[in-house]
Amino acid sequence: MPTASQVATHEPPADPAHPAVGAATSLLDGYRPGDRFLATPGRTLLASGAARPVPHDRRPLDERVNATLAEARAAGQEAPVVIGAIPFDHEAPAALSVPAALRIAPPLASDPLIALPVGVPGAAEWRIRPVPGPEVYAAGVAAAVERMWRGEFSKVVLARTLELTSPAPLDLPAMLQRLARRDPVGYTFALPTGPDRTLIGASPELLVSRHGQQVVANPLAGSTPRSSDLAEDVRRAATLLESVKDLHEHAVVVDAVHQALAPHCTELTVPARPTLIRTATMWHLSTTVTGTLASPDTSALALACALHPTPAVCGTPTATARRVIAETEPFDRGFFTGVVGWGDANGDGEWVVTIRCAEADGRTLRLYAGAGIVAASEPEAETAETAAKFRTFLSAVGAQL
């Protein structure tokens, strides 16, 4: 028999006509540093207490996860779930574990209490250091564009960071509250990635999900900042839908997703043109790819590993883009542009691209933002795009560039 700490507790499923008041927000309110929190459009998860880590060895990641889930089930857990983060470098150790105690509730967006106002962050004396500086980043973009015109590669995603240092301890629960309540229909997470380190953020991009035989991927590529002026905001959205540069960038990513998923599916539907999705700070070109899985033995995590990294976070050709990133970015991406999510012993799960995030370590936050660079890219515009993407997290901590 499983012990009380080994039992996952599940709130009643969401009823669109009668949403469960407080079920999801109670998990958001219950988060404490060291817990594992993940909110998706399908569910809200909060794991706490001792966990069974997924080991790092030479076996493929999905095999290691399956073995860890099997061990948890053999130890008495009736419905074990793995939750955590996978780094950009697939050879680096992942931060995945099977928690002993897991609470699951309906999605945040179905909880009426998510609409309640959240406190505005107080003025903080953040010390902000860009790595690299905007001018250096723009020069890196220009160099990459020049190499593309020479035919070396067709796309690369280049990132930059902001290092924020606080004189006071970081209030991670308050940051998570503001991120979740600002975009409750997205993917919000706070996950431990090491001793006293937490990956926290709010991503708009689903890498892949699996429910039974049904597979969904939602690649995003091609972006523009939102405007507080309604007319200008609509104009920017319409311009993005017709942008030759952004449509090309998006098509490269969608084609890569199609090619990666096709061997695993009997049917795959790929819309001919993208639509738009919006966050609080950005418009994105979006395509929802749906399919039917060929084998029930192919888990959501196996599909995620087949897809990662897509051209949306790396570039194409992948090997060349990785080299350009290593040559250009003066930092280790770590879990940025990796994957966060959950998976169960049946193979179902949701795995999300790790963007709009920061890593908290002590009193320091490292924020990440990247832009897809193609031959038509302009260094100033790409630098401005990364600045706009930083706004998601800067607003959550009361900091400004």
Side-chain angles (χ1 to χ4, degrees):
M1 288 288 292
T3 66
S5 64
Q6 294 173 319
V7 176
T9 59
H10 298 255
E11 302 290 346
D15 179 349
H18 302 284
V21 177
T25 51
S26 68
L27 300 192
L28 177 62
D29 296 341
Y31 167 79
R32 296 295 180 268
D35 292 345
R36 293 160 178 81
F37 178 88
L38 176 65
T40 80
R43 70 205 65 226
T44 305
L45 302 94
L46 178 65
S48 58
R52 185 184 299 269
V54 174
H56 179 64
D57 55 40
R58 294 183 178 275
R59 291 174 295 169
L61 180 58
D62 60 315
E63 288 187 15
R64 287 181 271 140
V65 166
N66 288 340
T68 306
L69 288 166
E71 291 169 4
R73 178 172 281 177
Q77 286 186 253
E78 294 182 1
V81 171
V82 68
I83 183 170
I86 300 167
F88 173 67
D89 180 358
H90 67 277
E91 295 184 355
L96 295 170
S97 63
V98 178
L102 176 65
R103 297 170 63 194
I104 304 176
L108 286 173
S110 72
D111 189 336
L113 298 185
I114 198 66
L116 293 177
V118 64
V120 177
E125 296 180 0
W126 291 99
R127 181 167 58 84
I128 302 178
R129 184 171 77 96
V131 181
E135 300 81 4
V136 176
Y137 178 80
V141 172
V145 168
E146 183 178 346
R147 293 175 67 176
M148 278 184 269
W149 280 110
R150 295 201 299 263
E152 293 185 37
F153 52 94
S154 57
K155 178 183 177 179
V156 66
V157 177
L158 294 179
R160 63 189 183 106
T161 74
L162 294 178
E163 291 184 357
L164 277 62
T165 304
S166 170
L170 302 179
D171 190 346
L172 295 181
M175 293 179 198
L176 185 66
Q177 285 277 350
R178 287 188 282 269
L179 289 168
R181 292 178 184 274
R182 195 174 193 196
D183 279 315
V185 298
Y187 301 86
T188 306
F189 51 89
L191 302 163
T193 53
D196 299 318
R197 290 204 308 274
T198 299
L199 181 70
I200 182 170
S203 174
E205 185 170 2
L206 173 69
L207 179 64
V208 67
S209 68
R210 195 203 95 162
H211 181 70
Q213 297 296 99
Q214 301 307 304
V215 175
V216 179
N218 184 207
L220 309 181
S223 309
T224 194
R226 301 283 309 275
S227 172
S228 58
D229 178 82
L230 178 59
E232 173 61 16
D233 196 43
V234 171
R235 187 197 68 79
R236 291 183 185 184
T239 300
L240 180 61
L241 271 176
E242 301 299 328
S243 166
V244 173
K245 176 259 183 187
D246 289 289
L247 288 170
H248 168 67
E249 179 186 345
H250 188 80
V252 169
V253 177
V254 172
D255 182 64
V257 170
H258 185 181
Q259 296 301 321
L261 289 180
H264 303 282
C265 295
T266 57
E267 298 178 3
L268 203 59
T269 301
V270 184
R273 284 185 60 85
T275 57
L276 288 172
I277 69 165
R278 63 186 179 186
T279 68
T281 59
M282 302 293 296
W283 286 105
H284 298 282
L285 292 177
S286 165
T287 295
T288 300
V289 178
T290 57
T292 302
L293 204 60
S295 169
D297 296 329
T298 305
S299 68
L301 179 58
L303 295 173
C305 291
L307 286 165
H308 175 63
T310 72
V313 297
C314 183
T316 186
T318 302
T320 304
R322 279 186 177 276
R323 288 197 299 272
V324 175
I325 289 169
E327 295 163 0
T328 307
E329 296 178 355
F331 56 86
D332 182 352
R333 286 192 177 187
F335 290 90
F336 171 64
T337 61
V339 186
V340 298
W342 69 273
D344 66 20
N346 297 321
D348 290 344
E350 297 173 284
W351 298 96
V352 180
V353 181
T354 315
I355 52 177
R356 309 297 189 277
C357 67
E359 190 161 41
D361 186 357
R363 297 189 178 190
T364 299
L365 279 173
R366 170 169 274 188
L367 280 59
Y368 298 87
I373 313 303
V374 294
S377 293
E378 298 178 356
E380 294 79 9
E382 304 300 346
T383 305
E385 180 176 320
T386 56
K389 290 175 177 176
F390 280 132
R391 283 165 42 202
T392 295
F393 215 98
L394 289 171
S395 65
V397 299
Q400 293 185 348
L401 281 176

